[in-house]
Amino acid sequence: MSSRSNLTNLKTKQSKSRFETIADNLNRIKSSLPPSVQLVAVSKFHPADAVLEAYNAGQRVFGESRVAELLDKAQTLPANIAWHFIGHLQTNKVKQLVGHVALIESVDSQRLLDLIDDISLKKNVITDVLMQVHVAAEDTKFGWSPDELLDFFRSGAYKALHATRIRGLMGMATNTDDISRIDADFALLQALFVEIGTIANDLTEFNILSMGMSDDYPLAINHGASHIRIGSAIFGPRSL
Ligand SMILES: *Cc1c(COP(=O)(O)O)cnc(C)c1O
């Protein structure tokens, strides 16, 4: 199937989803995924009840973009949920977050990375992280440029980390209907992921490529996404 027809099918399916429950949406999406692809259910701005409905349908990995909201939900919801932090992480919130999260997907600067490492060391925990890469056309999105990221790995600077495990890359495609642009963004993320894996071949657990959201995840899967982050196609529209 071509990328274009994948995307068209997806949009048709989504337009029906408001008549379906969270569990229906989740099961429909999960049954369409290759077994190697992990689904991160993005529950930001949705109440704990909604998370619990997805949990009861078998989902265990959830994504949140605000520290306070993640910590609130983590406190009231089952302890075997793996929480992924996916939003811009302010340096003054790192201390609160470290130790309460399975994966920080959105490390967008070396300053933030070093701080996560310092605090993880002090708290005696290992923190798993992804490097967020900026490839989209919008300049509102955070992240390393591809060149900055390649320089960081080529320099060997990652070897100085003590309590942080770099597990891979996270990225977002341009927010556009132009499928060829989205496709090019995901292709670039995939190429970077492969190249960094070669440069930093001592990072034995560098194996996560998190890309693809509700409107574009079939294209991301075509380009080797290991994790997709789906919010509105599971939980419906967010009211911000
Ligand atoms: C909100 C968000 C998502 C989910 O977006 P949907 O379009 O609702 O699927 C995925 N990734 C990040 C980083 C987000 O902030």
Side-chain angles (χ1 to χ4, degrees), residues 83-102:
W83 295 100
H84 288 196
F85 189 79
I86 62 170
H88 174 60
L89 180 54
Q90 294 166 274
T91 49
N92 63 352
K93 303 271 172 71
V94 172
K95 206 182 245 172
Q96 297 169 55
L97 188 63
V98 163
H100 298 280
V101 71

Side-chain angles (χ1 to χ4, degrees), residues 11 30-31 36 39 49 61 72 75 92 101 107 109-110 118 124 138 149 153 160 191 193 198 201 211 213 233-234:
K11 291 210 158 135
K30 270 165 58 176
S31 66
S36 59
L39 173 62
D49 283 357
V61 184
D72 276 353
Q75 223 166 37
N92 63 352
V101 71
V107 174
S109 70
Q110 183 158 7
D118 284 349
N124 202 22
E138 300 88 289
L149 198 63
F153 282 102
F193 179 68
T198 308
N201 61 2
M211 59 183 193
M213 320 198 319
I234 297 171

Side-chain angles (χ1 to χ4, degrees), residues 58-80:
Q59 182 66 23
R60 292 293 179 269
V61 184
F62 291 89
E64 287 286 338
S65 61
R66 291 179 176 178
V67 172
E69 189 176 346
L70 185 154
L71 294 176
D72 276 353
K73 286 177 180 164
Q75 223 166 37
T76 55
L77 288 160
N80 64 345

Side-chain angles (χ1 to χ4, degrees), residues 130 167-171 186 189-191 193 207-211 220 223-228:
L130 304 182
R167 300 292 312 277
L169 305 184
M170 184 272 257
F186 288 144
L189 287 165
Q190 181 179 32
F193 179 68
N207 53 19
I208 297 179
L209 179 56
S210 173
M211 59 183 193
H223 285 288
S226 69
H227 288 56
I228 57 174

Side-chain angles (χ1 to χ4, degrees), residues 14 40-46 63-65 85-88 105-106 132 141 170-172 210-217 228-238:
Q14 257 177 251
V40 180
V42 176
S43 50
K44 65 186 186 195
F45 311 132
H46 290 283
E64 287 286 338
S65 61
F85 189 79
I86 62 170
H88 174 60
E105 297 205 15
S106 44
Q132 181 174 351
K141 287 185 176 135
M170 184 272 257
M172 270 176 268
S210 173
M211 59 183 193
M213 320 198 319
S214 292
D215 285 339
D216 58 18
Y217 70 87
I228 57 174
R229 308 178 308 271
I230 309 284
S232 44
I234 297 171
F235 295 105
R238 289 178 287 273

Side-chain angles (χ1 to χ4, degrees), residues 98-99 101-104 116 120 125-129 163-166:
V98 163
V101 71
L103 183 65
I104 300 176
I116 290 170
S120 301
V125 296
I126 302 286
T127 302
D128 279 0
V129 303
T164 309
R165 228 169 3 213
I166 301 178

